[in-house]
Amino acid sequence: MAINRNLIIFAGLLASFTLTSFPANVAGEPPLLFTFGDSSYDVGNTKFFSSAFDPATTWPYGESIDSPSGRWSDGNIVPDFVGRLVGNQEPMPPVLDPKADLSRGASFAISGATVLGSPSDTMSFGQQITKCIELNKKWNDKERAEALYMINIGADDYLNFAKAHPNANPVEQVAFVASVLQKLGRDLMSLYKSGGARKFAVQNLGPLGCLPIVRQEFKTGESCLEMVNSMVKTHNERLSPVLFGLTVRYRSLRYSVFDFNGEILRRINEPSRHGYTDTTTSCCGTGSRNAYGCGYSNVHSKLCSYQKGFLFFDGRHNTEKTDKDIASLFYSGDKHVVSPVNIRDLVGKSVTYLPVQEL
């Protein structure tokens, strides 16, 4: 009898642990996951968008998981890890894959994506949102309201600006940042009003001027490109107020902002503390920072022997180790790295679905 009682108690504890291990919506299921952004969040849309060569589909991309999948990394990326943490066992599919099962969400992110403009060789952030809205009927209102919407966008806007306007003065730089954020705010409003989104998890921009490809192309030596980092700093400082402003206008909107910039700088400045041997050079590529040509058969790129020792896999993308650490902090970090709440708290609390209410 005692044995049976102990088994019952153990089973109850196990069930309790299982139910509380992952945030669940009111139906008891993990939330749907939707991702938007550029190559850092791309899970394969690029290869379906164009017939042009996509290096992320070739070795050594996917080296750590033995399979190139269109991810710009040696393995899994931030949304893959977050998806598992919220309880989705299958990775989210690229929305452009005609065979994709979209029942648990989709990735709209694609390499080269920007906030501004309507490029022909990729999908802008606004175009990704339009695509999501077109597919709205695949999910009901409750599913879309309780879903998690992960966003990482803007890097290509600033990198493209720096290349096109290397001598831009501070006034021009700030004006450009303002235009990016204004359009970003409008796009997020559209995702809320027409897409039914209520929970945004937004990653701020990393120190783009410290990317190996930027150091290599702009020949900055041991320094970072200050112009780009200054614009990113202004962008990040104004990002949270943009999101907060949306919550004032739309009462049921909730958000998390992850300080990706701070976490990457900490790793660059203290590599050994975070388990790295190199935080300024790419694992895969060629050139002074080993930052160019990864995945191209006509480029004699080099591949490091131990990917986990590197912060960056190629000239601008993280290694799997880095993205796993970032995802963990985004999911359950404290207010020093993610605010006003982390993803665990964001998805763990149900949002009562309400029509849009403007103040």
Side-chain angles (χ1 to χ4, degrees):
M1 188 71 177
I3 294 176
N4 289 340
R5 183 184 179 189
N6 288 338
L7 285 173
I8 291 171
I9 292 172
F10 175 76
L13 289 171
L14 183 61
S16 174
F17 173 79
T18 302
L19 290 171
T20 59
S21 294
F22 305 115
N25 60 27
V26 291
E29 297 179 348
L32 272 59
L33 177 61
F34 300 98
T35 63
F36 303 83
D38 55 31
S39 52
S40 293
Y41 274 15
D42 188 359
V43 298
N45 278 314
T46 298
K47 65 184 177 183
F48 294 106
F49 184 85
S50 168
S51 59
F53 173 68
D54 177 10
T57 62
T58 65
W59 185 90
Y61 288 99
E63 164 73 10
S64 295
I65 55 175
D66 300 321
S67 176
S69 61
R71 289 163 173 78
W72 297 78
S73 173
D74 59 307
N76 293 296
I77 58 177
V78 171
D80 294 316
F81 292 113
V82 169
R84 294 173 193 169
L85 288 168
V86 300
N88 288 310
Q89 298 307 309
E90 295 297 324
M92 94 213 96
V95 71
L96 298 182
D97 181 355
K99 299 179 181 178
D101 175 5
L102 306 181
S103 61
R104 300 304 309 162
S107 171
F108 296 84
I110 186 170
S111 65
T114 55
V115 175
L116 299 178
S118 301
S120 60
D121 58 344
T122 184
M123 291 192 297
S124 69
F125 183 47
Q127 290 169 331
Q128 293 174 33
I129 290 172
T130 298
K131 181 73 173 177
C132 181
I133 293 170
E134 290 172 354
L135 297 172
N136 260 0
K137 291 183 180 179
K138 290 185 176 292
W139 312 284
N140 62 45
D141 290 349
K142 176 66 71 174
E143 287 176 324
R144 286 186 280 112
E146 297 294 345
L148 178 66
Y149 296 77
M150 295 186 67
I151 298 159
N152 183 10
I153 192 72
D156 283 283
D157 290 275
Y158 296 114
L159 292 173
N160 293 343
F161 181 88
K163 290 178 182 179
H165 308 283
N167 298 313
N169 62 47
V171 173
E172 293 168 330
Q173 294 174 31
V174 171
F176 184 75
V177 173
S179 65
V180 170
L181 288 170
Q182 184 179 46
K183 181 62 164 64
L184 178 63
R186 289 200 302 267
D187 288 340
L188 291 173
M189 190 184 305
S190 177
L191 186 57
Y192 175 95
K193 294 179 70 174
S194 301
R198 296 294 181 268
K199 298 179 179 182
F200 296 153
V202 185
Q203 192 172 301
N204 77 12
L205 297 180
L208 301 177
C210 301
L211 292 173
I213 191 64
V214 173
R215 293 187 194 230
Q216 182 169 309
E217 290 187 351
F218 285 87
K219 298 179 173 62
T220 64
E222 294 303 312
S223 301
C224 300
L225 186 64
E226 183 54 35
M227 170 191 171
V228 179
N229 279 356
S230 177
M231 295 176 75
V232 165
K233 183 174 185 290
T234 303
H235 174 99
N236 289 343
E237 288 173 348
R238 298 182 180 184
L239 179 60
S240 289
V242 167
L243 290 162
F244 179 76
L246 290 174
T247 67
V248 172
R249 189 173 185 183
Y250 304 115
R251 298 176 184 177
S252 57
L253 188 151
R254 300 291 182 268
Y255 67 91
S256 293
V257 177
F258 178 69
D259 184 18
F260 179 65
N261 189 284
E263 285 306 312
I264 293 300
L265 281 177
R266 277 186 275 277
R267 284 157 175 74
I268 289 174
N269 295 329
E270 300 178 283
S272 59
R273 181 178 178 181
H274 298 279
Y276 296 104
T277 56
D278 195 319
T279 58
T280 63
T281 304
S282 307
C283 168
C284 176
T286 188
S288 60
R289 291 285 172 181
N290 211 38
Y292 173 75
C294 186
Y296 287 88
S297 59
N298 61 340
V299 176
H300 298 293
S301 59
K302 297 175 288 185
L303 178 66
C304 65
S305 59
Y306 186 60
Q307 290 81 33
K308 290 183 178 180
F310 282 71
L311 176 64
F312 299 103
F313 182 66
D314 64 13
R316 62 168 290 181
H317 303 103
N318 303 331
T319 55
E320 181 184 61
K321 166 190 161 50
T322 303
D323 275 358
K324 184 176 182 180
D325 291 345
I326 295 302
S328 178
L329 289 168
F330 204 167
Y331 177 73
S332 59
D334 62 26
K335 292 184 183 295
H336 292 95
V337 294
V338 55
S339 62
V341 296
N342 56 37
I343 287 177
R344 180 182 59 197
D345 291 340
L346 183 67
V347 302
K349 297 176 182 178
S350 178
V351 171
T352 301
Y353 182 78
L354 297 171
V356 174
Q357 296 186 11
E358 301 185 21
L359 296 180

